[in-house]
Amino acid sequence: MPIYLYLDRETFLHRLNPSVKVFALFVMFWSVYWVDQPLALVPLGVLLVAAAEFTDSWPNFWRLRWLFALVILFTTLAWMVFYRRGPAVANLGIIHLSHASLLFGFGRGLKLAELLATSVLFLSVTKVEELTEGLTKLGVPYRAGFAIMLAFRLAPLFIDSAVTVAQAQRLRGYQFDRGGPLERIRRYVPVMIPVFMGALRKANNMAVALETRGFGRNARPTSLAEYPTRWPDVAACVVLAGLAAGYFLIYYAGYGAIAAN
Amino acid sequence: MRDLVLMWRNTRMVVLCAISGALYAAVLVPFKVVPLIPGVTELRPANAIPVVCSFLFGPAAAWGTAIGNVIGDFFGGVGPGDIFGFLANLAYGYVPYKVWNALAGGRNPIARSPLSIGCYVTACLLASMQCADIVGWGENLLALRPFSVMGNVIVFNNLLASLALAPFLLYAIYPRVCRGRMLYQDMMPELRAMPRAVQLAGLALLAFGVFGAWVAGNLVSTGYWEPAFLPLRMVQAPYDGAVAVVVSPFILVSALGLGLM
């Protein structure tokens, strides 16, 4: 699985201010949260599909297609076990199959799938630096934002390093696929040790390099990339605020709920 | 919890935080494709990393674990529940070394005495359950997934990794990091431990809160316990209101205990 989902395109959503993108993420969470009824979730789904088409993010969605299907299926089943409301249509053991439990479970599954789609879309149009910038603008301390960015950058390097060590071990005749599942996982411990130690060796040099560039100073650092706020950002914020308000009104008016019986 | 704030002033600790997060994410992301319960959780051998890092890097590992989990979540779908995922993983990286310090003081965590093994298992058990409690409580509070699903799957997953994998990694890495003077005690000599009596009182509160939340959460979310003091509309699926009222005090007590340690 690739660690970066960013797709370099020249679209309106790619050019939005990072803070607006983080705000959009929040608005999607907010909107999805207030409604349970699957029908009320459909407009958000349509919006996400349109955004995926507009930003040409389909390769990322296609890569995760099974995850989407499984999320919906298993969430529906899980809630049919615990949401035992409404008259049962059929007796399926621990699964309470009723109109209400099916609707509730499917609604939850759809909710989680839409949240997954939101995160895929967000990562498809947002670089790691933009995410950090957006978080910093929204009040996350600079050092925390920097640590997030550095972790995002280092993770693929560590994966590459682990793959290299695993290949070297295989060449020496080490077998990773012997034994049961736990034994197989345990056999990766010798791979983790050099990756861990290599990472720690980098840590000291990295800290020195950062401090020589003034990281330890208290002043607010400047950034090479500037993200000014333009009128499309303001327009996007207005539309997003409208969407958030609209979904709260759907909840408030009672259209987002599921009747239990 | 002063150490969680103080560490951000130390550049090396910031780098170690990013490295802990990246290592965690580097093992987490490839295993996203091996779900235990699709849409709920996947096989997470990566959960050994926070425990190892906690003993090595203390507060930096706690923040690193939280950041690593966020990176991992971006590849399995982010949502409002991830705020609780962030806090839960912060606790998962924070609890082991705190509990170890309270129980074993300055003892070496790789010693093979029965006392050390007992302290290690206690630290892992409390960390795993604290993490599971926070995620289960948060997700049930938002009515996304039942406590009894999340709470139990996470305890199983965390305990499996921290007891079956982490000791091997710790045994191989700890002496090297110790020799390289890269333990958190070497990086932040200014950290002062609380008096032992206060630490033990904190530990007792933590244990009470953690076990109480887990038992109450399971009983309420499965409908086995219908607290008589709650209004009838709260004591029905998805039990979000009941979980909020019954489990929240235990979560607060455990957080207070952690604060005292």
Side-chain angles (χ1 to χ4, degrees):
Chain A
M1 186 180 276
I3 197 142
Y4 294 129
L5 295 181
Y6 180 73
L7 298 166
D8 198 8
R9 310 272 194 268
E10 271 301 310
T11 71
F12 165 72
L13 284 179
H14 281 80
R15 285 192 297 268
L16 277 179
N17 189 294
S19 304
V20 178
K21 291 181 192 175
V22 176
F23 178 59
L25 197 62
F26 169 76
V27 166
M28 290 304 286
F29 293 168
W30 167 276
S31 307
V32 166
Y33 174 71
W34 288 113
V35 291
D36 294 332
Q37 172 64 252
L39 268 181
L41 288 164
V42 170
L44 280 180
V46 172
L47 189 68
L48 286 166
V49 169
E53 173 64 29
F54 179 64
T55 55
D56 194 14
S57 310
W58 287 120
N60 284 338
F61 281 87
W62 179 250
R63 200 177 291 157
L64 297 168
R65 62 194 181 282
W66 291 111
L67 191 59
F68 280 100
L70 290 171
V71 160
I72 295 175
L73 179 69
F74 279 87
T75 308
T76 307
L77 286 174
W79 275 109
M80 281 163 73
V81 173
F82 293 98
Y83 192 87
R84 312 186 77 83
R85 297 173 73 175
V89 178
N91 189 7
L92 298 172
I94 59 163
I95 293 175
H96 181 81
L97 180 60
S98 68
H99 179 70
S101 69
L102 184 63
L103 208 58
F104 187 85
F106 182 65
R108 295 290 133 155
L110 208 57
K111 264 184 179 199
L112 291 173
E114 287 188 353
L115 293 173
L116 173 61
T118 304
S119 60
V120 172
L121 190 64
F122 178 78
L123 287 185
S124 301
V125 301
T126 312
K127 291 179 191 160
V128 179
E129 308 87 70
E130 291 178 349
L131 170 66
T132 317
E133 178 69 19
L135 290 174
T136 311
K137 283 264 170 64
L138 292 172
V140 172
Y142 172 74
R143 282 171 172 245
F146 176 82
I148 294 171
M149 186 176 73
L150 190 57
F152 256 107
R153 288 275 174 232
L154 288 175
L157 296 181
F158 292 160
I159 292 176
D160 283 348
S161 166
V163 169
T164 308
V165 175
Q167 283 170 344
Q169 299 277 36
R170 263 200 198 99
L171 279 174
R172 293 186 181 99
Y174 191 78
Q175 292 176 318
F176 289 99
D177 48 3
R178 261 180 43 193
L182 198 63
E183 174 60 23
R184 284 180 190 208
I185 290 174
R186 205 177 275 175
R187 285 186 151 261
Y188 278 89
V189 169
V191 175
M192 282 307 299
I193 294 164
V195 175
F196 219 108
M197 295 316 297
L200 290 186
R201 232 170 277 134
K202 279 185 195 130
N204 228 358
N205 294 342
M206 224 183 276
V208 172
L210 282 170
E211 282 184 342
T212 52
R213 284 167 175 79
F215 186 77
R217 285 174 59 94
N218 287 326
R220 167 105 173 97
T222 52
S223 171
L224 188 64
E226 293 291 328
Y227 301 99
T229 306
R230 300 190 178 93
W231 72 264
D233 299 313
V234 179
C237 279
V238 172
V239 172
L240 287 166
L243 182 71
Y247 264 85
F248 183 75
L249 286 176
I250 290 175
Y251 156 76
Y252 194 72
Y255 293 116
I258 294 171
N261 298 305
Chain B
M1 292 188 189
R2 239 178 99 239
D3 46 353
L4 282 177
V5 179
L6 281 180
M7 66 134 276
W8 291 108
R9 294 185 193 162
N10 187 316
T11 306
R12 273 170 186 74
M13 290 296 271
V14 174
V15 172
L16 287 175
C17 163
I19 283 180
S20 305
L23 280 168
Y24 188 32
V27 189
L28 206 56
V29 173
F31 281 90
K32 283 272 167 196
V33 291
V34 192
L36 273 183
I37 303 175
V40 177
T41 192
E42 57 284 328
L43 189 68
R44 286 172 79 126
N47 287 5
I49 306 282
V51 177
V52 175
C53 289
S54 181
F55 283 105
L56 302 175
F57 313 133
W63 287 113
T65 305
I67 290 171
N69 185 66
V70 169
I71 297 175
D73 278 343
F74 267 109
F75 299 89
V78 286
D82 290 322
I83 296 162
F84 298 101
F86 182 88
L87 295 175
N89 277 275
L90 183 70
Y92 186 55
Y94 190 61
V95 170
Y97 91 95
K98 280 288 179 185
V99 172
W100 179 266
N101 283 348
L103 287 175
R107 231 176 262 133
N108 189 335
I110 56 169
R112 286 179 176 177
S113 68
L115 180 71
S116 295
I117 293 171
C119 293
Y120 178 82
V121 171
T122 309
C124 291
L125 180 68
L126 287 176
S128 302
M129 290 184 76
Q130 172 81 323
C131 176
D133 285 346
I134 297 174
V135 176
W137 166 71
E139 295 251 323
N140 209 146
L141 217 62
L142 299 174
L144 288 174
R145 296 177 182 108
F147 183 101
S148 50
V149 173
M150 296 308 288
N152 296 313
V153 169
I154 292 173
V155 169
F156 167 76
N157 230 343
N158 287 359
L159 268 182
L160 187 72
S162 59
L163 295 182
L165 282 179
F168 295 99
L169 281 172
L170 196 60
Y171 193 76
I173 293 166
Y174 188 87
R176 292 173 167 95
V177 177
C178 197
R179 275 200 300 276
R181 299 187 60 76
M182 289 189 82
L183 295 175
Y184 70 93
Q185 298 97 320
D186 301 318
M187 300 279 181
M188 298 181 72
E190 70 272 23
L191 285 182
R192 292 279 172 270
M194 299 289 261
R196 190 150 171 82
V198 178
Q199 282 189 352
L200 289 175
L203 180 64
L205 284 178
L206 175 72
F208 173 75
V210 159
F211 282 101
W214 188 72
V215 172
N218 269 302
L219 291 176
V220 169
S221 72
T222 47
Y224 279 107
W225 179 31
E226 296 182 347
F229 56 87
L230 291 178
L232 195 62
R233 64 181 171 79
M234 270 192 175
V235 197
Q236 54 188 5
Y239 299 107
D240 47 340
V243 166
V245 174
V246 176
V247 182
S248 301
F250 288 110
I251 298 280
L252 284 176
V253 168
S254 65
L256 179 69
L258 205 50
L260 285 177
M261 291 165 72

